[in-house]
Amino acid sequence: MSTTASAESGAGSTSTTGPRLTRITEHVVEIISDSGEGAQRCGQSFGAIAARSGHGIWTVEIIPAEIQPPSRSVAGASGNRVRLGSGRITNGGDAADLVVAFNEQVLLGRVRMNELRPGCTILLENMWRDHRDPGVVASYTETHDALVNAGYQVIEIPMERECRTIVRDARRGKNMFALGMLAAIYRFDLDLARDQVALTFRKKTRQLIEVNTRLLEAGYAWAQANLGFAYDMPATLTAEDQIVVNGNTALALGVVASGMEICAMYPITPATSASHYLSEIFAKVGGMVHQAEDEIAACTFAIGASYAGKCAVTITSGPGYSLKQEGIGLAVMGEIPLVVVNVQRGGPSTGQPTKVEQGDLMTTIFGSHGDAPKVVIAPSSIEDCFYSVIAARRIAETFNMVVVVLSDASLATAQQPFPRPRFDPAWLAPPIDQSQVPEGLAPYAWDATTGLARRFVPGQPGGMYTLTGLAHDPEAGIAYDPDSNAQGIQARSLKLAALQKSLITPTVVGEDSGELLVIGWGSTKGAIEEAAERVRAEGRRVSSLHLRFVNPLPGGLKEIMQRFEKVMTVEGNWSDDPDDALIDESNRRYSALATLLRSRYLIDVDSWSEVGGSPIKPGTVERAILNKLEQR
């Protein structure tokens, strides 16, 4: 049965025996508001407190498409989703179990997107019930009543009134009041929450920290006094130090740990925060962030730094990657080490700057005029974002080539705890050999069995040569004859083959053979593995495999796929629905990875994909798997 409680009436208050305590192993919580009300910060802080309490977490930022959407608008929901549990959490989960909403319109948007579990508990700001605008009152009342009638557990909360006893502008205080309520509901230690508030506002004044702490404490006390429920979630404390960061911060930390010293970038959503974090810390370890005048300049600056003997990184998103393409081609032709980070977003063109998509795989691998082979690594977790950059730097300098780290908006903003990395000197490339170049050694000479070549740098004795984007022979002489051109393309291509020989075949999760193999790449890993595990629990022989290297593809994949009756990919890019009236086998477009696998291995790889702008949910993948199993 649905319930609604009002602070004014005292409904929902605890009994003398304390709140009703429910034991759970995981929950999905959303905090949503208009932009600028701090719901994202509240969610990030709540996730950090949960992680520090010994819980697994995965956060998903809820970002409106517009930079400043109208207040109280259905499409303007801004906030954070936090999935927390007793064990390790690898994705944002399915529908929300509890929601804190600062107005009914942003809540309505989440309801319409089916983001709330039936019967979900909703803590709803009730200031709108007495608003001076009759239209607002009518909207609030109508939405509230509809939610109650739909079976949601709606509890009205006087956040505005309570916060104004502490701050004049409650709009800047509700997020910490909400954080206090959540800390009480999930029985988190209040001192730990206070520490998190101090950490969150560490760059602000002491007075501001104190005010936000008072708001936190007020929310905590109000929840204990007025909410008749709380949750007991067992924690799994570990003696191993852990860090809680988002994917962009992990990428930035990977840049530092890899030994790279130059980052050239131009601000673009959702990649910018990686360079923002680097700007705060990089100089302390001898690094430099260069904000160029545009994406092209950022790419060529990085290429110049690498040519001079450094190994540089340039960070961008889809539209910026498109602008960098000609520069990337120069790095390929000149065989200059370069790391490119592409944090994918919805496209094409400006597309959906704040939404999740995996639409750049093909353009990352093939997007160039002429043949420009590049290594492409797709991290699948926050931890993997860190280590992928280290791997990218080593490969770039080992083979004198371009390596792209293909992240996405889901990983960029998601938080997840992982073991604190312990620095390994092997992460760093060895010093550049600046000794005398042996007489007769050509600048583009290479070992045909290993793919390795000596790197020439400016000022090296005997190392003077012409660097050009034109076709050239091994001695760097401009050459238009067909043999020289073919030899150059062959040499650059065989670098991929040499790397591929060293890659480890990915591990199959589940049985080595069976009814269905589900293959993914990038941020979909957690959802795919959880969905496959659910289906296996029902007795079906379903396994999964996830690719970290998507160019070159590791060996052994064909043999693995041949052991399953059916194979399908799950991706966040477009594929045609085979049931569409216009679609048949002669014109169907498959998703990106499925297309690659079908063409390389000549195996009937099916695809399921989704481009809804949100991270793919395990329940959605589970339904796709069951549907595939039912097909003859």
Side-chain angles (χ1 to χ4, degrees), residues 454-479:
R454 176 157 179 170
R455 182 181 178 187
F456 284 36
V457 295
Q460 188 175 26
M464 183 180 294
Y465 73 104
T466 300
L467 176 68
T468 175
L470 293 168
H472 50 261
D473 59 27
E475 287 74 31
I478 295 172

Side-chain angles (χ1 to χ4, degrees), residues 12-14 17-24 27 98 121 123 155 180-188 220 223-233:
S13 60
T14 63
T17 59
R20 182 184 72 257
L21 193 61
T22 303
R23 192 173 181 86
I24 58 174
H27 244 201
L98 185 144
T121 298
L123 306 183
I155 302 175
M181 288 196 302
L182 291 171
I185 291 169
Y186 291 92
R187 304 179 75 211
F188 293 150
Y220 194 96
Q224 286 195 320
N226 293 280
L227 295 179
F229 68 95
Y231 297 107
D232 176 33
M233 182 184 298

Side-chain angles (χ1 to χ4, degrees), residues 203-406:
K203 296 181 180 180
K204 305 297 183 180
T205 65
R206 184 65 204 171
Q207 181 182 8
L208 187 63
I209 293 175
E210 290 174 355
V211 168
N212 280 283
T213 301
R214 288 173 57 199
L215 288 162
L216 169 85
E217 293 168 345
Y220 194 96
W222 192 93
Q224 286 195 320
N226 293 280
L227 295 179
F229 68 95
Y231 297 107
D232 176 33
M233 182 184 298
T236 306
L237 295 172
T238 175
E240 187 175 27
D241 288 343
Q242 301 212 11
I243 63 172
V244 183
V245 297
N246 63 31
N248 274 358
T249 301
L251 288 170
L253 290 170
V255 169
V256 176
S258 73
M260 284 189 281
E261 299 171 79
I262 304 290
C263 171
M265 48 71 65
Y266 182 80
I268 183 170
T269 301
T272 306
S273 66
S275 51
H276 281 177
Y277 185 75
L278 274 177
S279 297
E280 295 178 9
I281 67 168
F282 215 10
K284 298 176 183 178
V285 293
M288 183 189 77
V289 176
H290 171 69
Q291 181 171 323
E293 61 267 32
D294 56 38
E295 295 281 6
I296 299 171
C299 186
T300 51
F301 185 97
I303 291 170
S306 287
Y307 166 66
K310 304 294 183 181
C311 182
V313 59
T314 184
I315 302 175
T316 190
S317 188
Y321 187 84
S322 296
L323 290 170
K324 294 180 190 293
Q325 288 282 17
E326 187 173 0
I328 290 172
L330 171 62
V332 172
M333 179 64 87
E335 300 184 33
I336 300 171
L338 179 68
V339 176
V340 183
V341 175
N342 178 1
V343 184
Q344 300 167 95
R345 70 189 210 185
S349 188
T350 311
Q352 299 188 95
T354 62
K355 303 301 181 183
V356 180
E357 197 170 296
Q358 291 182 301
D360 295 358
L361 181 59
M362 289 302 203
T363 192
T364 303
I365 297 175
F366 302 113
S368 176
H369 59 284
D371 188 72
K374 300 170 286 291
V375 176
V376 181
I377 304 174
S380 60
S381 67
I382 312 303
E383 182 178 21
D384 205 14
C385 286
F386 175 82
Y387 290 104
S388 290
V389 177
I390 297 171
R393 186 265 170 93
R394 296 187 66 188
I395 293 169
E397 290 203 308
T398 298
F399 293 98
N400 294 337
M401 65 188 308
V402 176
V403 182
V404 181
V405 177
L406 196 56

